[in-house]
């Protein structure tokens, strides 16, 4: 089920929105898991102030929790600053790899209001809020990892409407199409490269032998249709084509290893 990424300044109302969204989704009988700074147990001031890599480790903990809980049966809401666009991209890839939709909810609250609310909660040192506001990378809906982006003002009267819009979106869109960067490659057998080299070399030997006799059409054992060239191809060119085919096939192993020769013949026919 979907991933909801909260995003906003410290004390901007993210948790308030998450509580409203969680209640709304649970009324719809949905299973909801909240991943947050509190759930992974950090001290905000020491983590976000640190220059020793603590914040990077914290993002790794959040990412691990999202990966642990994201599934077809669970809606994961990440209630954290998520102010770095690179981190939001990583989360987008996790969502896409899990074949589930995502969205970003940006709590657009002024720094002055954040300071005011922090005086009540005392979650952050005042100077740290200003520092994090300066670091904040605002979501950009033109980027696929920040789209769709729902902008909400927690003090506005339309918060409940945004909650409904987010919930409606989560179940009105299908799973995103995975691309090569988020697809697991098919596992090839241990002797795959050896089979690939032998199969392609056998075909080169047959072509070379029959070309020396003046033939431009080649019958390859095990292949129904003959291979035909409209020009003479020397051995150096054939080896170059073999290397190109092997490079491509290593990155895209076929599910049926018995079709290696057939695939190579089709490749040669298409390029010569």
């Amino acid at each position: 089920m979907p991933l909801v990424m909260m995003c906003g300044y410290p004390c901007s109302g993210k948790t308030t929105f998450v509580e409203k969204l969680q209640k709304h989704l649970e009324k719809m009988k949905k299973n909801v898991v909240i991943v947050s700074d509190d759930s992974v147990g950090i001290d905000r001031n020491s983590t976000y102030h640190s220059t020793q890599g603590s914040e990077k480790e914290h993002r790794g903990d959040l990412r691990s929790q999202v990966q642990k809980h994201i599934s077809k049966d669970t809606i994961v809401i990440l209630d954290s600053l998520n102010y770095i666009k690179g981190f939001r991209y990583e989360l987008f890839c996790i969502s896409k790899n899990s074949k589930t939709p995502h969205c970003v909810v940006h709590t657009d609250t002024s720094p002055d209001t954040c300071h005011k609310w922090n005086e009540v909660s005392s979650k952050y040192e005042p100077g740290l809020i200003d520092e994090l506001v300066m670091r904040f990378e605002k979501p950009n809906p033109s980027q696929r990892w920040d789209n769709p982006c729902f902008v909400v003002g927690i003090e506005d009267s339309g918060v409940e409407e945004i909650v409904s819009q987010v919930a409606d979106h989560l179940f009105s869109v299908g799973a995103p199409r995975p691309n090569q960067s988020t697809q697991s490659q098919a596992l090839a057998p241990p002797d795959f490269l050896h089979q690939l080299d032998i199969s392609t070399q056998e075909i080169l030997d047959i072509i070379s032998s029959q070309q020396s006799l003046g033939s431009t059409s080649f019958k390859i054992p095990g292949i129904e249709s003959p291979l035909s060239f409209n020009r003479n191809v020397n051995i150096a060119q054939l080896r170059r084509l073999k290397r190109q085919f092997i490079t491509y096939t290593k990155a895209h192993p076929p599910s049926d290893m018995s079709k290696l020769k057939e695939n190579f013949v089709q490749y040669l026919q298409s390029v010569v």
Side-chain angles (χ1 to χ4, degrees), residues 3 5 84-93 102-105 137-149:
L3 168 65
M5 288 184 267
I84 298 174
K85 62 183 177 181
F87 184 52
R88 295 197 297 270
Y89 174 73
E90 291 179 31
L91 296 168
F92 162 76
C93 289
H102 86 293
C103 71
V104 174
V105 177
E137 296 176 344
K138 186 177 179 179
N140 179 3
S142 66
Q143 302 290 353
R144 63 191 185 281
W145 55 87
D146 285 336
N147 185 282
C149 180

Side-chain angles (χ1 to χ4, degrees), residues 29-150:
K29 307 299 183 184
K30 304 298 183 182
N31 185 33
V32 180
V33 170
I34 310 297
V35 178
S36 67
D37 291 347
D38 291 331
S39 71
V40 298
I42 67 156
D43 178 87
R44 291 174 172 82
N45 290 304
S46 62
T47 298
Y48 289 114
H49 258 316
S50 175
T51 58
Q52 304 302 317
S54 297
E55 186 181 349
K56 184 176 180 180
E57 292 176 7
H58 171 52
R59 289 197 297 272
D61 292 338
L62 293 173
R63 183 170 55 246
S64 296
Q65 288 299 307
V66 169
Q67 287 178 307
K68 175 182 177 181
H69 293 291
I70 196 168
S71 71
K72 64 179 182 179
D73 302 315
T74 303
I75 299 169
V76 178
I77 304 176
L78 179 55
D79 180 14
S80 187
L81 299 179
N82 301 322
Y83 68 94
I84 298 174
K85 62 183 177 181
F87 184 52
R88 295 197 297 270
Y89 174 73
E90 291 179 31
L91 296 168
F92 162 76
C93 289
I94 291 172
S95 173
K96 195 167 187 179
N97 194 41
S98 301
K99 299 180 180 178
T100 186
H102 86 293
C103 71
V104 174
V105 177
H106 176 205
T107 50
D108 190 15
T109 306
S110 71
D112 288 342
T113 301
C114 293
H115 276 290
K116 177 183 173 182
W117 289 345
N118 186 57
E119 290 174 2
V120 178
S121 64
S122 300
K123 289 183 177 180
Y124 297 87
E125 297 172 4
L128 180 56
I129 290 183
D130 293 329
E131 184 181 334
L132 289 169
V133 166
M134 292 294 293
R135 290 191 224 162
F136 187 78
E137 296 176 344
K138 186 177 179 179
N140 179 3
S142 66
Q143 302 290 353
R144 63 191 185 281
W145 55 87
D146 285 336
N147 185 282
C149 180
F150 297 90

Side-chain angles (χ1 to χ4, degrees), residues 2 32 93 123 127 133-134 148 167 182 185 197-198 213 223 241 249:
V32 180
C93 289
K123 289 183 177 180
V133 166
M134 292 294 293
T182 57
Q185 294 294 331
D197 183 65
I198 289 178
L213 300 175
I223 306 299
L241 293 172
T249 307

